[in-house]
Amino acid sequence: FLAVIGASGSGKSSVVMAGLLPRLADGDAIPGSGAWRILNPFKPGKMPLENLTNQVGRYLPQLAPSDIRRELDHESARGLLRLARRITSTRLVLYIDQFEELFTLTENDTERRQFIDLLTTAANEPDSPVTILVTLRADFYDRPLEYVELGALVTSTAVAILPLTITEL
């Protein structure tokens, strides 16, 4: 789990999408990362479970969206782990951009909680094949802290991004 935190417009998404993800894909950032399955970035939006279902469905075309959703809705919160293992035998990288949308756009607290449980279960599982990257606006840093397991992940892995200079851009 990695939380990239910074002010609005600071370049959080750019650092991840133009910097980190290409280096992972090339195998430059971490030995062996070139073999990892890096999913397309997505945003939580108003319905994060539906967005996650659609995202995972792109990589599991043999499964109906309703089957994927049923897996993600399971009370064990292990659905993301199980689906990740079906997508790849190495490591799956899930990048959630504008993570603050989970707190600003998602109105259904049950859906928000299930989404958080899926992420924290996948991140905390000892043999998890899932790496989760999130970008979060600094003015929403307190929102994940309202959820014990998510707060622990964010506070232990947060990397602050200062506004990028012209050279850095």
Side-chain angles (χ1 to χ4, degrees):
F1 192 94
L2 175 66
V4 179
I5 300 174
S8 179
S10 64
K12 300 174 297 296
S13 299
S14 297
V15 165
V16 173
M17 290 197 289
L20 179 58
L21 293 179
R23 292 202 56 213
L24 287 173
D26 290 343
D28 292 340
I30 298 173
S33 64
W36 295 358
R37 177 59 68 103
I38 301 172
L39 276 56
N40 291 330
F42 79 102
K43 299 173 185 172
K46 187 172 184 167
M47 296 181 288
L49 291 174
E50 182 176 318
N51 292 337
L52 181 58
T53 298
N54 293 336
Q55 174 70 328
V56 169
R58 292 181 185 140
Y59 301 90
L60 293 170
Q62 70 276 22
L63 293 180
S66 59
D67 294 331
I68 294 170
R69 181 60 187 260
R70 189 172 19 265
E71 189 72 42
L72 294 174
D73 284 340
H74 193 272
E75 65 185 27
S76 71
R78 298 180 61 76
L80 180 57
L81 279 168
R82 287 191 286 265
L83 293 167
R85 289 183 175 119
R86 291 184 72 167
I87 292 172
T88 184
S89 61
T90 59
R91 176 153 295 284
L92 181 136
V93 178
L94 181 68
Y95 170 41
I96 307 166
D97 193 21
Q98 297 184 20
F99 195 65
E100 66 273 3
E101 286 185 2
L102 187 60
F103 308 102
T104 61
L105 298 180
T106 305
E107 297 171 356
N108 184 323
D109 191 55
T110 302
E111 181 164 358
R112 179 184 304 113
R113 169 46 83 184
Q114 180 66 13
F115 187 77
I116 289 169
D117 289 348
L118 288 164
L119 298 180
T120 57
T121 299
N124 288 323
E125 179 79 14
D127 66 340
S128 176
V130 182
T131 294
I132 300 165
L133 308 172
V134 301
T135 52
L136 177 70
R137 278 185 20 205
D139 50 329
F140 289 93
Y141 182 79
D142 64 321
R143 304 293 173 86
L145 305 181
E146 295 174 13
Y147 301 85
V148 174
E149 289 185 9
L150 180 60
L153 286 171
V154 169
T155 58
S156 67
T157 67
V159 173
I161 299 295
L162 302 174
L164 299 176
T165 67
I166 295 298
T167 304
E168 289 170 329
L169 284 172

